[in-house]
Amino acid sequence: MSGTWLDEIRWTDDGLVPVIAQQAGTGKVVMFAWMNRESLALTNECGYAVYWSRSRNKLWRKGEESGNRQKVLAISVDCDEDVILLSIEQEGGISCHTGRESCFYRTLERGVWQENSPVLKDPAEMYKK
């Protein structure tokens, strides 16, 4: 992939950049993931989030199995050029593989992680194999 804007990103030694997905309108952070050069270029080209799955070692088109795609409205980079922020519209209202709106569904309260949002859809219904 070529393009000077991609060259301006400060990639990690393994060629990745951390990415935060934030719901447009509400500003709620719904997800954190990684992108490589190819996935960031594809995200920009197609208008939907494409991440790099470190566990599967392959491109991951968000929603390819669940249907919960992320339409990208804006791509921003931080001042150090080492973190990407996506402003997204979350299709289906579910970002997390657990069936919740956000992956950040637990809050530390008095030394214990407490769930702060409900499951909106059973993961078994989203991930039929």
Side-chain angles (χ1 to χ4, degrees), residues 55-105:
S55 61
R56 293 175 277 178
N57 202 35
K58 69 174 194 167
L59 290 176
W60 159 41
R61 288 170 171 77
K62 177 67 175 157
E64 63 191 349
E65 291 181 44
S66 68
N68 299 316
R69 299 188 315 163
Q70 292 175 339
K71 183 176 182 180
V72 177
L73 304 180
I75 301 173
S76 302
V77 65
D78 76 328
C79 58
D80 293 324
E81 300 170 330
D82 62 359
V83 177
I84 299 294
L85 176 66
L86 300 181
S87 176
I88 58 114
E89 285 181 358
Q90 180 64 56
E91 294 181 357
I94 297 171
S95 291
C96 186
H97 74 281
T98 65
R100 292 176 173 84
E101 174 189 20
S102 172
C103 294
F104 298 96
Y105 65 90

Side-chain angles (χ1 to χ4, degrees), residues 1-9 11 37 41:
M1 301 283 145
S2 63
T4 58
W5 67 273
L6 287 167
D7 295 333
E8 294 179 42
I9 303 297
W11 305 96
R37 193 176 182 94

Side-chain angles (χ1 to χ4, degrees), residues 8-53:
E8 294 179 42
I9 303 297
R10 291 181 180 215
W11 305 96
T12 63
D13 290 341
D14 51 357
L16 301 175
V17 66
V19 181
I20 299 165
Q22 183 178 42
Q23 180 65 44
T26 67
K28 184 172 188 167
V29 172
V30 295
M31 210 179 89
F32 169 85
W34 295 90
M35 285 185 174
N36 64 8
R37 193 176 182 94
E38 181 182 9
S39 63
L40 182 53
L42 286 169
T43 296
N44 184 54
E45 289 168 19
C46 72
Y48 283 88
V50 180
Y51 298 105
W52 177 256
S53 172

